[in-house]
């Protein structure tokens, strides 16, 4: 595992001025390409922060030639055509004499020629390899966030500096909680009897147990809000809320005894309900008796 380079992690949110593709510096060996990778992040890690790992196929420095691209004991020589500048002039005559400066075709703009290339990297000074980086996850990141790991991209040819690594985060969904911006949403399923009579219960939140009081006569859609128990603001202060959304469940698996009790209950309240033998199954049964 390799660490570091995550200090400017927040330039990740695109529009922050960083651009893909890197590019050639004014002088010296060209910078290596930027790379992209995807990393899975546990739901709790996205909320509270932590680490994950990202694996990427990249270019690393060739240990054999230590990035020079030359066989041991040999050196790159100055290119004869451009005399080391990496550039040659081309003169084109039209209405006026146009002088164009282009990259030297003999040395590909490198200014140097390698007579005896390294056996391992064939003169590139780098080789392909797979690397796994430990990635620091700031608290509050959401699914789809991209982090920029400065200098953890591929190294350039023959000692060129490294590009950046962009890590796209995939937050693994949670069974009990959903994200709604900075709020956490927890659906709480309660029975018809619990909704009608009320109850007290403990629910497991990401911050530990929390007491919930269901008042008598609670309806589906009631929302209980726990201030500051939601998702922290990335690079900011404060947290969102935890919202517990009540869903009253209609029982679908009544025993005959429970059904009789509910019928008596309906009778007491003067409510019209289907008679005991009106179920589809019993009607089919009676039709074929
Ligand atoms: Zn090499
Ligand atoms: Zn040249």
């Amino acid at each position: 595992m390799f660490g570091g380079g995550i200090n400017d992690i927040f330039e990740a949110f695109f529009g922050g001025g960083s651009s893909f593709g890197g590019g050639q510096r004014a002088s010296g060996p060209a910078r290596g390409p930027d790379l992209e990778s995807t990393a899975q992040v546990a739901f709790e890690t996205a909320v509270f922060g932590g680490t994950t790992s990202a694996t990427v196929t990249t270019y690393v420095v060739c240990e054999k030639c230590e990035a020079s691209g030359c066989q041991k004991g040999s050196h790159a020589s100055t290119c004869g055509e451009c005399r080391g500048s990496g550039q040659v002039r081309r003169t084109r005559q039209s209405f006026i004499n146009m002088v164009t400066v282009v990259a030297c075709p003999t040395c590909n703009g490198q200014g140097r020629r390698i007579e005896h290339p390294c056996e391992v990297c064939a003169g590139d000074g780098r080789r392909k390899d797979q690397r796994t980086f430990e990635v620091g996850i700031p608290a509050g990141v959401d699914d789809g966030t991209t982090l920029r790991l400065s200098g953890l991209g591929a190294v350039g040819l023959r000692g060129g500096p490294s590009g950046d690594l962009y890590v796209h985060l995939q937050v693994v969904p949670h069974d009990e909680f959903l994200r709604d911006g900075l709020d956490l949403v927890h659906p709480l399923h309660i029975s018809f009897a619990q909704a009608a009579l009320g109850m007290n219960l403990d629910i497991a939140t990401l911050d530990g147990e929390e007491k919930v009081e269901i008042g008598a006569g609670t309806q589906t859609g009631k929302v209980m809000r726990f201030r500051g128990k939601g998702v922290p603001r990335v690079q900011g202060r404060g947290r969102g809320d935890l919202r517990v959304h009540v869903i009253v469940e209609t029982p679908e698996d009544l025993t005959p005894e429970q059904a009789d009790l509910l019928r008596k209950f309906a009778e007491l309240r003067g409510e019209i309900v289907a008679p005991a033998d009106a179920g589809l199954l019993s009607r089919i049964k009676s039709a074929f008796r």
Side-chain angles (χ1 to χ4, degrees):
M1 301 284 270
F2 298 79
I6 56 171
N7 46 335
D8 54 354
I9 216 159
F10 296 109
E11 288 176 40
F13 304 98
F14 289 104
S18 65
S19 63
F20 260 96
Q24 190 121 7
R25 299 193 307 171
S27 62
R31 180 177 178 271
D34 292 338
L35 299 176
E36 288 181 88
S37 178
T38 302
Q40 301 258 311
V41 182
F43 192 89
E44 289 89 338
T45 304
V47 173
F48 295 118
T51 59
T52 190
S53 60
T55 299
V56 67
T57 302
T58 183
Y59 283 111
V60 298
V61 167
C62 173
E63 295 90 347
K64 178 83 176 177
C65 63
E66 294 170 328
S68 73
C70 305
Q71 263 180 40
K72 217 179 171 83
S74 75
H75 294 281
S77 57
T78 303
C79 172
E81 183 168 352
C82 63
R83 288 188 224 96
S85 71
Q87 298 170 340
V88 288
R89 290 200 173 83
R90 291 270 182 271
T91 308
R92 190 158 56 96
Q93 284 188 341
S94 55
F95 304 109
I96 52 165
N97 278 349
M98 282 276 279
V99 178
T100 316
V101 177
V102 297
C104 171
T106 306
C107 63
N108 286 321
Q110 299 289 317
R112 295 161 79 74
R113 282 169 53 87
I114 295 172
E115 306 287 350
H116 306 286
C118 165
E119 310 90 316
V120 172
C121 63
D124 286 348
R126 66 181 185 182
R127 62 180 178 83
K128 252 194 179 146
D129 201 3
Q130 204 169 66
R131 286 285 155 98
T132 298
F133 297 102
E134 191 176 47
V135 181
I137 304 297
V141 297
D142 205 349
D143 189 55
T145 300
T146 299
L147 303 179
R148 183 168 79 102
L149 307 194
S150 179
L152 292 188
V155 299
L157 285 167
R158 287 176 288 282
S162 298
D164 298 334
L165 174 60
Y166 290 85
V167 180
H168 306 296
L169 302 183
Q170 282 180 347
V171 178
V172 180
H174 198 283
D175 289 340
E176 303 284 331
F177 299 95
L178 294 167
R179 285 274 295 258
D180 181 20
L182 291 181
D183 283 357
L184 288 172
V185 174
H186 174 60
L188 177 63
H189 297 262
I190 61 172
S191 77
F192 156 74
Q194 289 167 332
L197 302 174
M199 72 178 300
N200 292 318
L201 79 163
D202 292 334
I203 57 164
T205 75
L206 297 184
D207 290 271
E209 298 255 298
E210 201 69 55
K211 288 203 184 309
V212 174
E213 202 181 308
I214 304 289
T218 292
Q219 306 288 343
T220 280
K222 161 136 195 198
V223 177
M224 284 161 289
R225 193 176 277 273
F226 296 85
R227 301 263 173 216
K229 301 285 183 185
V231 181
R233 203 177 295 277
V234 180
Q235 255 195 325
R237 287 174 178 281
R239 293 173 63 177
D241 300 334
L242 167 64
R243 301 196 322 251
V244 175
H245 289 238
V246 173
I247 298 159
V248 179
E249 298 280 6
T250 304
E252 293 177 284
D253 53 353
L254 294 177
T255 64
E257 189 189 0
Q258 290 165 350
D260 280 346
L261 281 170
L262 265 185
R263 255 180 226 103
K264 286 200 184 82
F265 171 80
E267 201 179 312
L268 281 171
R269 290 177 61 85
E271 293 167 1
I272 298 164
V273 295
D277 57 354
L280 181 64
L281 192 63
S282 53
R283 273 190 284 130
I284 291 169
K285 275 181 186 159
S286 58
F288 290 98
R289 195 166 285 155

